[in-house]
Protein backbone atom coordinates (compact mmCIF):
# COMPACT_ATOMS: atom_id res chain seq x y z
CA UNK A 1 0.00 0.00 0.00
CA UNK A 2 1.34 3.11 -1.00
CA UNK A 3 1.20 6.05 1.30
CA UNK A 4 0.69 3.77 4.19
CA UNK A 5 -3.10 3.68 3.85
CA UNK A 6 -4.78 0.63 5.22
CA UNK A 7 -8.00 -0.23 3.50
CA UNK A 8 -9.40 -1.84 6.56
CA UNK A 9 -8.81 1.33 8.55
CA UNK A 10 -10.57 3.38 5.88
CA UNK A 11 -13.54 1.06 5.92
CA UNK A 12 -13.67 1.15 9.69
CA UNK A 13 -13.59 4.94 9.63
CA UNK A 14 -16.34 4.95 7.05
CA UNK A 15 -18.37 2.57 9.17
CA UNK A 16 -17.79 4.73 12.25
CA UNK A 17 -18.76 7.80 10.25
CA UNK A 18 -21.94 6.09 9.01
CA UNK A 19 -22.87 4.96 12.53
CA UNK A 20 -22.11 8.43 13.86
CA UNK A 21 -24.16 9.94 11.04
CA UNK A 22 -27.22 7.74 11.73
CA UNK A 23 -26.84 8.17 15.48
CA UNK A 24 -26.69 11.95 15.16
CA UNK A 25 -29.50 11.86 12.62
CA UNK A 26 -31.78 9.99 15.01
CA UNK A 27 -30.57 11.72 18.18
CA UNK A 28 -30.24 15.33 17.01
CA UNK A 29 -31.58 15.98 13.53
CA UNK A 30 -35.01 14.39 13.90
CA UNK A 31 -35.77 16.07 17.28
CA UNK A 32 -34.48 19.41 16.03
CA UNK A 33 -36.47 19.07 12.80
CA UNK A 34 -39.54 18.06 14.80
CA UNK A 35 -38.98 21.01 17.20
CA UNK A 36 -38.57 23.42 14.27
CA UNK A 37 -41.70 22.14 12.55
CA UNK A 38 -43.67 22.51 15.79
CA UNK A 39 -42.23 25.98 16.22
CA UNK A 40 -43.11 26.89 12.62
CA UNK A 41 -46.63 25.53 13.14
CA UNK A 42 -46.91 27.50 16.39
CA UNK A 43 -45.85 30.73 14.65
CA UNK A 44 -48.22 30.05 11.73
CA UNK A 45 -51.01 29.52 14.25
CA UNK A 46 -50.02 32.70 16.10
CA UNK A 47 -49.94 34.59 12.80
CA UNK A 48 -53.39 33.27 11.91
CA UNK A 49 -54.68 34.20 15.37
CA UNK A 50 -53.12 37.65 15.16
CA UNK A 51 -54.60 38.09 11.68
CA UNK A 52 -58.01 37.12 13.04
CA UNK A 53 -57.52 39.37 16.05
CA UNK A 54 -56.39 42.18 13.76
CA UNK A 55 -59.50 41.75 11.64
CA UNK A 56 -61.64 41.67 14.79
CA UNK A 57 -59.82 44.75 16.12
CA UNK A 58 -60.43 46.52 12.80
CA UNK A 59 -64.12 45.57 13.00
CA UNK A 60 -64.32 46.84 16.57
CA UNK A 61 -62.46 49.98 15.53
CA UNK A 62 -64.90 50.55 12.65
CA UNK A 63 -67.86 49.95 14.99
CA UNK A 64 -66.32 52.31 17.53
CA UNK A 65 -65.76 54.98 14.87
CA UNK A 66 -69.34 54.53 13.66
CA UNK A 67 -70.62 54.83 17.23
CA UNK A 68 -68.44 57.89 17.79
CA UNK A 69 -69.76 59.48 14.60
CA UNK A 70 -73.31 58.66 15.71
CA UNK A 71 -72.56 60.04 19.18
CA UNK A 72 -71.11 63.19 17.62
CA UNK A 73 -74.26 63.59 15.52
CA UNK A 74 -76.42 63.07 18.60
CA UNK A 75 -74.33 65.58 20.53
CA UNK A 76 -74.76 68.10 17.71
CA UNK A 77 -78.50 67.44 17.67
CA UNK A 78 -78.61 67.84 21.45
CA UNK A 79 -76.64 71.08 21.21
CA UNK A 80 -79.00 72.37 18.52
CA UNK A 81 -82.08 71.35 20.49
CA UNK A 82 -80.63 72.90 23.65
CA UNK A 83 -79.87 76.10 21.76
CA UNK A 84 -83.38 76.11 20.28
CA UNK A 85 -84.88 75.45 23.68
CA UNK A 86 -82.77 78.17 25.26
CA UNK A 87 -83.78 80.66 22.57
CA UNK A 88 -87.45 79.70 23.03
CA UNK A 89 -87.14 80.12 26.78
CA UNK A 90 -85.39 83.46 26.38
CA UNK A 91 -88.08 84.62 23.95
CA UNK A 92 -90.74 83.47 26.40
CA UNK A 93 -89.00 85.27 29.27
CA UNK A 94 -88.68 88.42 27.17
CA UNK A 95 -92.34 88.20 26.15
CA UNK A 96 -93.39 87.67 29.77
CA UNK A 97 -91.21 90.57 30.88
CA UNK A 98 -92.73 92.83 28.23
CA UNK A 99 -96.25 91.77 29.24
CA UNK A 100 -95.42 92.35 32.89
CA UNK A 101 -93.91 95.74 32.07
CA UNK A 102 -97.02 96.67 30.08
CA UNK A 103 -99.28 95.57 32.93
CA UNK A 104 -97.16 97.56 35.43
CA UNK A 105 -97.35 100.63 33.17
CA UNK A 106 -101.12 100.14 32.78
CA UNK A 107 -101.52 99.80 36.55
CA UNK A 108 -99.39 102.88 37.12
CA UNK A 109 -101.47 104.87 34.60
CA UNK A 110 -104.69 103.65 36.23
CA UNK A 111 -103.38 104.55 39.67
CA UNK A 112 -102.20 107.94 38.38
CA UNK A 113 -105.64 108.58 36.82
CA UNK A 114 -107.35 107.62 40.09
CA UNK A 115 -105.02 109.89 42.05
CA UNK A 116 -105.61 112.67 39.51
CA UNK A 117 -109.38 112.23 39.85
CA UNK A 118 -109.08 112.14 43.63
CA UNK A 119 -106.95 115.31 43.62
CA UNK A 120 -109.33 117.05 41.20
CA UNK A 121 -112.31 115.94 43.29
CA UNK A 122 -110.60 117.17 46.44
CA UNK A 123 -109.67 120.44 44.75
CA UNK A 124 -113.24 120.87 43.47
CA UNK A 125 -114.59 120.16 46.96
CA UNK A 126 -112.21 122.70 48.48
CA UNK A 127 -113.17 125.22 45.81
CA UNK A 128 -116.87 124.53 46.53
CA UNK A 129 -116.29 124.86 50.26
CA UNK A 130 -114.39 128.11 49.72
CA UNK A 131 -117.12 129.33 47.41
CA UNK A 132 -119.78 128.41 49.99
CA UNK A 133 -117.85 130.17 52.72
CA UNK A 134 -117.41 133.20 50.52
CA UNK A 135 -121.10 133.14 49.63
CA UNK A 136 -122.05 132.77 53.29
CA UNK A 137 -119.84 135.70 54.19
CA UNK A 138 -121.34 137.77 51.40
CA UNK A 139 -124.84 136.73 52.38
CA UNK A 140 -124.14 137.31 56.07
CA UNK A 141 -122.67 140.71 55.44
CA UNK A 142 -125.56 141.54 53.19
CA UNK A 143 -128.05 140.24 55.76
CA UNK A 144 -126.38 142.10 58.59
CA UNK A 145 -126.44 145.32 56.61
CA UNK A 146 -130.08 144.71 55.70
CA UNK A 147 -130.97 144.03 59.29
CA UNK A 148 -129.21 147.16 60.44
CA UNK A 149 -130.89 149.21 57.75
CA UNK A 150 -134.23 147.64 58.72
CA UNK A 151 -133.63 148.52 62.30
CA UNK A 152 -132.61 151.99 61.31
CA UNK A 153 -135.72 152.42 59.22
CA UNK A 154 -138.06 151.08 61.85
CA UNK A 155 -136.83 153.43 64.43
CA UNK A 156 -137.30 151.42 67.51
CA UNK A 157 -136.91 153.41 70.64
CA UNK A 158 -133.92 152.47 72.65
CA UNK A 159 -135.91 151.65 75.70
CA UNK A 160 -137.77 148.97 73.90
CA UNK A 161 -134.66 147.68 72.46
CA UNK A 162 -133.12 146.92 75.81
CA UNK A 163 -136.04 145.07 77.07
Amino acid sequence: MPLNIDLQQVLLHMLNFTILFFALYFLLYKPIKKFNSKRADYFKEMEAKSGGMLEEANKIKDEYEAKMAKADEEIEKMKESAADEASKKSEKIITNAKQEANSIILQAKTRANKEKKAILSSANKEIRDLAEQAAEKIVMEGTLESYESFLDSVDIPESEENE
Side-chain angles (χ1 to χ4, degrees):
M1 295 234 132
L3 297 178
N4 213 4
I5 296 179
D6 189 12
L7 187 60
Q8 187 178 14
Q9 284 289 328
V10 171
L11 288 176
L12 279 174
H13 284 302
M14 284 179 71
L15 180 65
N16 280 337
F17 180 74
T18 306
I19 292 171
L20 181 66
F21 177 77
F22 284 112
L24 288 177
Y25 178 79
F26 287 111
L27 290 176
L28 293 177
Y29 183 73
K30 272 192 168 181
I32 289 174
K33 190 174 179 183
K34 186 177 178 183
F35 173 77
N36 281 340
S37 69
K38 283 183 183 179
R39 186 173 173 207
D41 291 341
Y42 172 76
F43 283 118
K44 284 180 184 176
E45 183 180 321
M46 291 296 284
E47 186 178 338
K49 281 183 183 179
S50 67
M53 293 174 97
L54 183 62
E55 288 177 16
E56 187 176 329
N58 285 334
K59 279 184 184 179
I60 292 172
K61 178 185 169 193
D62 292 340
E63 289 176 10
Y64 172 76
E65 287 176 352
K67 286 180 182 179
M68 287 300 292
K70 188 183 257 187
D72 288 341
E73 289 175 9
E74 288 179 14
I75 288 170
E76 286 299 319
K77 287 179 183 177
M78 290 173 122
K79 283 181 181 178
E80 289 175 5
S81 67
D84 290 342
E85 189 174 324
S87 66
K88 286 178 184 178
K89 283 184 180 181
S90 67
E91 288 175 11
K92 187 176 182 179
I93 289 170
I94 289 170
T95 304
N96 288 342
K98 285 181 181 179
Q99 288 176 350
E100 191 173 331
N102 288 338
S103 68
I104 289 171
I105 290 171
L106 185 62
Q107 288 174 354
K109 284 181 180 179
T110 305
R111 196 175 315 135
N113 284 336
K114 285 181 182 179
E115 288 179 12
K116 180 181 174 184
K117 286 179 183 178
I119 290 170
L120 287 177
S121 174
S122 174
N124 284 337
K125 185 178 177 187
E126 286 181 21
I127 291 172
R128 245 184 278 124
D129 289 344
L130 288 174
E132 283 179 13
Q133 289 175 1
E136 281 181 22
K137 282 185 181 181
I138 292 172
V139 168
M140 289 300 246
E141 285 179 14
T143 311
L144 190 57
E145 286 177 16
S146 302
Y147 182 66
E148 286 179 10
S149 72
F150 174 72
L151 288 179
D152 286 341
S153 63
V154 172
D155 236 3
I156 302 178
E158 282 189 27
S159 58
E160 288 179 15
E161 231 178 77
N162 287 338
E163 291 180 15

